[in-house]
Amino acid sequence: MKPTVWTSRRKALGNLIPSLVWFFPAVAGLAIMATTRQLLGTGLWLLIASTILGWIALDFFGFFENPHMQKELTAILTDRGEIPVAGSAFVGFATPKYHGLLDAHEDVGYLQILPDRLVFLSEIRTIEFQHHEVRRVRYRANVHTMLLLGRWVSVEGESGGKPIRLLIEPRNHPTMLGNFRESKRLHRRIAEWAKKKPTNKT
């Protein structure tokens, strides 16, 4: 099934728009430095400005069309009779072996925290992580971490004697920085859930 929500266009534009914002002032700065043969001055200031502008653009455009994806996915799941439970978190997801060229997120969907299990529900997949399989909840770095704009919330455990890991990153907010802050709340919420004894199945 070809996804209609988490498309290659959205993955690419989340990187392309910030790159263009960075590129033009950076090139202008390098050109001025090469022409004047001076490391200090206007050229250097343009390089500094390009870095700051690129970082701001990444914060605002890194999760490109995030609100639209939430609405589209909600409509798709509703039509399938798989309405996410109240309090579900919209997240990016990746398996440990995934290495994407366009984006750190392999897929986007809703994380449902049910009494007896975690469920990641997207347009093309459903993944369940049973409560008794969870061993710990921690942070792990991803490419967003190097830019101080994100991190994984990693749910780790064991199933059938084999290690398993669920990597998720909040996408509830329009900006990456807002979701970076949200990761602390999501981590705490899952960690508290993992400590509780499940009471009933939903």
Side-chain angles (χ1 to χ4, degrees):
M1 177 181 176
K2 187 176 180 180
T4 61
V5 176
W6 190 224
T7 61
S8 296
R9 180 186 73 88
R10 282 172 167 156
K11 294 178 185 179
L13 287 176
N15 292 313
L16 180 61
I17 294 173
S19 296
L20 290 175
V21 172
W22 166 84
F23 179 77
F24 291 106
V27 169
L30 290 172
I32 291 173
M33 293 170 74
T35 301
T36 62
R37 297 184 180 181
Q38 294 180 357
L39 295 178
L40 303 178
T42 304
L44 178 60
W45 284 113
L46 280 172
L47 283 177
I48 294 172
S50 70
T51 302
I52 295 172
L53 290 173
W55 187 88
I56 294 173
L58 184 61
D59 180 33
F60 280 93
F61 295 102
F63 287 167
F64 185 70
E65 293 188 351
N66 209 39
H68 298 292
M69 287 192 289
Q70 292 186 58
K71 292 179 182 178
E72 290 173 13
L73 181 57
T74 299
I76 290 171
L77 296 176
T78 300
D79 287 342
R80 294 197 323 221
E82 299 177 310
I83 303 173
V85 299
S88 296
F90 189 61
V91 299
F93 155 89
T95 54
K97 294 183 179 179
Y98 176 74
H99 298 286
L101 296 176
L102 294 178
D103 198 277
H105 297 164
E106 184 176 356
D107 199 359
V108 297
Y110 285 102
L111 179 72
Q112 303 182 107
I113 304 178
L114 305 177
D116 62 318
R117 66 196 185 279
L118 298 176
V119 179
F120 173 77
L121 183 62
S122 78
E123 180 183 8
I124 61 173
R125 76 188 82 207
T126 299
I127 297 175
E128 296 190 356
F129 202 142
Q130 300 300 320
H131 186 282
H132 68 270
E133 296 173 335
V134 178
R135 298 293 179 267
R136 67 172 177 171
V137 184
R138 57 173 291 191
Y139 297 116
R140 284 186 178 270
N142 60 20
V143 66
H144 303 149
T145 309
M146 294 185 290
L147 299 168
L148 304 178
L149 286 173
R151 57 189 169 185
W152 292 122
V153 175
S154 178
V155 185
E156 302 172 5
E158 189 176 287
S159 179
K162 296 181 179 180
I164 54 177
R165 185 191 305 164
L166 180 68
L167 296 170
I168 51 178
E169 184 170 20
R171 295 186 69 120
N172 281 333
H173 302 282
T175 66
M176 295 186 70
L177 198 56
N179 287 295
F180 186 22
R181 291 193 291 264
E182 182 67 28
S183 67
K184 183 178 180 179
R185 289 187 284 269
L186 183 60
H187 176 281
R188 182 173 60 248
R189 184 180 172 195
I190 298 174
E192 290 174 352
W193 166 86
K195 292 177 181 178
K196 294 180 181 179
K197 185 176 180 179
T199 54
N200 63 287
K201 294 184 179 181
T202 302

